[in-house]
Amino acid sequence: MEIGLCHKINNCICLDQLQKGNSIILTGFKYDCPLDLKKWFIKQGFVKGLEISVHATSPFDDPVAYDIHHLVLVLRKDEAKYLQGIVL
């Protein structure tokens, strides 16, 4: 997976900025993503080209439940900020 690709694309955001009802196509990780977190993301199926959408948010907007691979995965915003993608 390419790292830091998002800075070259205009319509690119980090996953923690994604609003309910919107989706992104994952382009990669932020350059400062910790290695252990990056490995965990890959084990959970976060690969380039993955479509991610917001499933639900908690009352204070953290954590957020995301739809990936027809599953729901909950991430805190401090984890989601390392995933970048193109808004659909």
Side-chain angles (χ1 to χ4, degrees):
M1 183 175 294
E2 293 186 40
I3 300 171
L5 179 66
C6 212
H7 73 278
K8 299 177 184 177
I9 302 171
N10 293 335
N11 202 16
C12 198
I13 65 168
C14 293
L15 188 58
D16 65 330
Q17 300 168 342
L18 189 64
Q19 300 296 314
K20 188 165 174 70
N22 294 330
S23 298
I24 64 168
I25 298 294
L26 191 65
T27 57
F29 304 111
K30 283 182 70 177
Y31 67 92
D32 59 346
C33 182
L35 183 58
D36 58 335
L37 185 58
K38 192 181 305 183
K39 287 178 182 180
W40 185 85
F41 283 142
I42 293 169
K43 287 179 184 177
Q44 299 306 314
F46 287 92
V47 294
K48 186 176 179 180
L50 173 67
E51 184 174 343
I52 305 170
S53 61
V54 174
H55 179 77
T57 59
S58 66
F60 297 106
D61 292 329
D62 194 21
V64 178
Y66 298 97
D67 286 319
I68 66 159
H69 298 297
H70 305 290
L71 299 171
V72 177
L73 183 68
V74 178
L75 295 175
R76 296 208 173 273
K77 288 200 174 212
D78 66 338
E79 298 166 332
K81 71 181 180 183
Y82 292 113
L83 297 166
Q84 301 175 325
I86 301 168
V87 179
L88 297 177

